Amino acid sequence: MIQGTIIRAAGGFFSVLTEAREIYQCRARGNLKRDNQSLMVGDRVLFVPPLGSAGPTAEKDIDDGIIEELIPRNSCLNRPNVANVDQLAVIMSLKQPSYDWQLASRLMVMAEKEGLEALLCLNKADLVEDDELNEIESQLNPFPYRIIICSALCGRGLDSLAKGLTGKCTVFAGPSGAGKSSLLNALQPGLTLKTGTVSDKIKRGRHTTRQAELLPLDFGGSVVDTPGFTRLELADLKPEDLATLFPEFEAYSGVCAYRDCRHLTEPRCAIRQHLGNQINQLRYEHYSYFMDELSKRQEVY
Ligand code: GDP
Ligand code: ZN
């Protein structure tokens, strides 16, 4: 059997990418469908290649291989369903449109909640002067996630971004116009999804609800084609859990005077004592803003 990753699923057929970077079209064995754990994009599977096959057939045949086994998932995102996503890349542009640090924190809270790594990519560096960039960098210092300054236009930082994506399955998120597609295209021309990649035969399948797709990167790793989380509310989050989703707070967990300190107005709060030093002022403001949002929501129910 060969191991591979499902990069596309439609109408009961799966495109499976192997380590040799070949794509096989497969169906799933009956028991895999029944097992209440229907296969999804991102799943790592073991499959039997077609008998007497001379290798993968570039999407010519619909039933090249049979998926026999699902390798247990590390993680699973919903809507769209994608298994084994490793990280979230938050893409913001430094100008046009301007950055929104609160949105960045919001996305990172969601990444933490889903157990994903996160990185912040600041694009369109070509549009800001060095002074302004220094100012922004000091505002974001310290920051609990890796920051990559880049420009899809002039190529700055693309090596670092490529390194950050290598070997991982990444979801891109960020405001429209920040440069997500431009960055992907600059990293690997031709990568961005063109509709119609699902073969005609598959399209004629009965159930053609399209799922997210994985775009394999030549340098290893992949990107999920539906960029970003679809819901931006801090859905089903309890206020008391929010602090655990700010990794820079972790060093102070249990250090505050009150055991159930929410780090808002309580006296001798370790988080607030480190504001402006180990704890970034902006990040703390986002925390208290989200706390407020979550508490208000709780009152409604
Ligand atoms: P998306 O909505 O996040 O996918 O953003 P796009 O990739 O479509 O980019 C939005 C606009 O920003 C386009 O007009 C791009 O040409 C432009 N753009 C993207 N990256 C850069 C960059 O690094 N510098 C500059 N000056 N413009 C960029
Ligand atoms: Zn506290």
Side-chain angles (χ1 to χ4, degrees), residues 103-300:
L103 175 63
S105 281
R106 194 178 283 269
L107 291 165
M108 276 147 175
V109 162
M110 294 170 77
E112 292 288 340
K113 183 164 164 273
E114 301 293 342
L116 306 180
E117 292 173 51
L119 60 82
L120 175 60
C121 182
L122 301 178
N123 189 33
K124 308 198 189 183
D126 56 285
L127 296 181
V128 294
E129 302 293 336
D130 286 351
D131 287 356
E132 200 178 343
L133 192 55
N134 289 340
E135 174 77 16
I136 289 166
E137 283 186 293
S138 68
Q139 253 186 29
L140 294 181
N141 186 34
F143 197 75
Y145 301 96
R146 185 152 156 220
I147 298 175
I148 299 172
I149 311 275
C150 61
S151 165
L153 192 78
C154 74
R156 173 170 177 183
L158 293 180
D159 285 356
S160 309
L161 181 57
K163 247 182 231 147
L165 303 179
T166 302
K168 290 179 179 153
C169 176
T170 305
V171 177
F172 274 45
S176 145
K180 295 178 292 295
S181 341
S182 304
L183 283 169
L184 286 174
N185 256 317
L187 286 171
Q188 186 172 312
L191 176 73
T192 40
L193 187 76
K194 294 167 226 74
T195 45
T197 44
V198 178
S199 84
D200 286 343
K201 281 181 182 170
I202 289 181
K203 263 193 233 150
R204 274 186 256 122
R206 269 155 300 170
H207 314 285
T208 47
T209 33
R210 245 199 75 213
Q211 294 189 4
E213 299 193 14
L214 294 194
L215 308 175
L217 298 164
D218 290 344
F219 47 85
S222 57
V223 173
V224 182
D225 90 315
T226 328
F229 292 101
T230 46
R231 291 160 302 158
L232 287 182
E233 324 97 72
L234 301 168
D236 48 80
L237 208 67
K238 292 196 215 100
E240 59 268 35
D241 292 335
L242 184 64
T244 63
L245 305 176
F246 278 71
E248 67 270 50
F249 288 12
E250 199 187 319
Y252 307 102
S253 99
V255 181
C256 303
Y258 291 91
R259 222 171 51 100
D260 58 352
C261 185
R262 300 229 170 153
H263 322 305
L264 294 172
T265 52
E266 295 90 339
R268 283 168 291 132
C269 166
I271 300 289
R272 286 192 300 131
Q273 276 163 6
H274 290 86
L275 261 187
N277 298 309
Q278 286 88 341
I279 303 289
N280 183 300
Q281 183 73 40
L282 277 176
R283 289 273 297 169
Y284 178 76
E285 281 165 22
H286 303 155
Y287 169 80
S288 52
Y289 185 91
F290 298 156
M291 267 311 244
D292 196 45
E293 188 178 316
L294 292 172
S295 314
K296 280 192 186 127
R297 182 171 319 149
Q298 226 179 22
E299 283 161 22
V300 175

Side-chain angles (χ1 to χ4, degrees), residues 92-101 122 132 136 139 175:
M92 295 264 153
S93 50
L94 291 159
K95 276 219 168 106
Q96 301 172 15
S98 185
Y99 46 81
D100 177 348
W101 301 143
L122 301 178
E132 200 178 343
I136 289 166
Q139 253 186 29

